[in-house]
Amino acid sequence: MAMRRVLMTSLLLAGWSIAADAAPAQDAILPASVIFATSTGYWEDDGNAPDVERAPMGAESVADPEGRAAQRHGYYKLFAVRQPDRTSKVYLQQIAQTETGPAIASTIELQEFSDLKPYVTDIRPENSNGIIKEPGLFATVYLKTDPAAEPDGWTVLIDEFGDITVEKATN
């Protein structure tokens, strides 16, 4: 009986260790340093227009490899990434809607925010109805420049021509 109990315990423990080894590691879908994100707005072009430009950083190409201009469209993603000093950087991406799913067309850092060395407390779109079908973007980034202060709202506006404006919100 004791031998049977030892054998069963050994098999049980062996099964648990095999199950633990076989368990898939969790993929980091979104890095822990991304603290706020919103997808909003709409953009489209004839395939020849440049992506949002300021300081491009490793954007995926969504251009036609054969060089033909193709109508492109998509939405914007605005997100904050926490830095080691607890301040944040804010990035803007153009996400293209492709036949194989969404693809990053461009990524830029919004230097207006980086210069402030802000503590971002929230990012909100103009509305929560989903992606709009009119060109442009309007979102509000809430931030503090002093951790003990109340947050201020800053607007990020992209007009129908793709021009980006970042300014302190006025009520």
Side-chain angles (χ1 to χ4, degrees), residues 53-69:
E53 292 181 0
R54 283 196 177 182
M57 300 172 41
E60 298 173 27
S61 174
V62 294
D64 185 349
E66 297 176 14
R68 297 179 308 227

Side-chain angles (χ1 to χ4, degrees), residues 45-103:
D45 64 32
D46 62 4
N48 292 319
D51 296 322
V52 170
E53 292 181 0
R54 283 196 177 182
M57 300 172 41
E60 298 173 27
S61 174
V62 294
D64 185 349
E66 297 176 14
R68 297 179 308 227
Q71 181 73 24
R72 301 182 321 158
H73 68 279
Y75 57 93
Y76 296 101
K77 185 187 307 180
L78 189 64
F79 60 97
V81 178
R82 180 170 286 179
Q83 302 301 299
D85 66 356
R86 300 183 66 211
T87 63
S88 299
K89 291 188 177 190
V90 178
Y91 295 89
L92 174 69
Q93 288 183 328
Q94 272 184 294
I95 308 297
Q97 303 273 29
T98 68
E99 291 178 12
T100 58

Side-chain angles (χ1 to χ4, degrees), residues 30 33-38 78-82 88 119-124 142:
L30 187 65
S33 59
V34 175
I35 53 175
F36 297 100
T38 188
L78 189 64
F79 60 97
V81 178
R82 180 170 286 179
S88 299
Y119 300 89
V120 175
T121 61
D122 199 1
I123 297 178
R124 297 195 183 186
Y142 294 91

Side-chain angles (χ1 to χ4, degrees), residues 1-167:
M1 181 72 155
M3 185 66 134
R4 187 175 181 190
R5 193 174 294 159
V6 170
L7 179 61
M8 294 300 285
T9 304
S10 297
L11 288 174
L12 186 59
L13 290 174
W16 277 342
S17 68
I18 290 170
D21 291 341
Q26 286 190 345
D27 292 332
I29 294 173
L30 187 65
S33 59
V34 175
I35 53 175
F36 297 100
T38 188
S39 296
T40 187
Y42 180 79
W43 64 270
E44 65 183 1
D45 64 32
D46 62 4
N48 292 319
D51 296 322
V52 170
E53 292 181 0
R54 283 196 177 182
M57 300 172 41
E60 298 173 27
S61 174
V62 294
D64 185 349
E66 297 176 14
R68 297 179 308 227
Q71 181 73 24
R72 301 182 321 158
H73 68 279
Y75 57 93
Y76 296 101
K77 185 187 307 180
L78 189 64
F79 60 97
V81 178
R82 180 170 286 179
Q83 302 301 299
D85 66 356
R86 300 183 66 211
T87 63
S88 299
K89 291 188 177 190
V90 178
Y91 295 89
L92 174 69
Q93 288 183 328
Q94 272 184 294
I95 308 297
Q97 303 273 29
T98 68
E99 291 178 12
T100 58
I104 299 170
S106 69
T107 302
I108 60 166
E109 178 181 342
L110 295 178
Q111 195 62 43
E112 295 88 342
F113 291 115
S114 297
D115 291 347
L116 293 171
K117 297 195 181 304
Y119 300 89
V120 175
T121 61
D122 199 1
I123 297 178
R124 297 195 183 186
E126 179 178 18
N127 65 54
S128 295
N129 293 332
I131 298 167
I132 58 174
K133 293 295 181 189
E134 298 170 11
L137 168 136
F138 185 91
T140 304
V141 176
Y142 294 91
L143 61 88
K144 302 176 186 184
T145 53
D146 174 1
E150 289 295 314
D152 291 320
W154 286 70
T155 59
V156 178
L157 174 70
I158 302 176
D159 65 19
E160 65 273 13
F161 305 111
D163 294 330
I164 303 169
T165 304
V166 176
E167 60 189 12

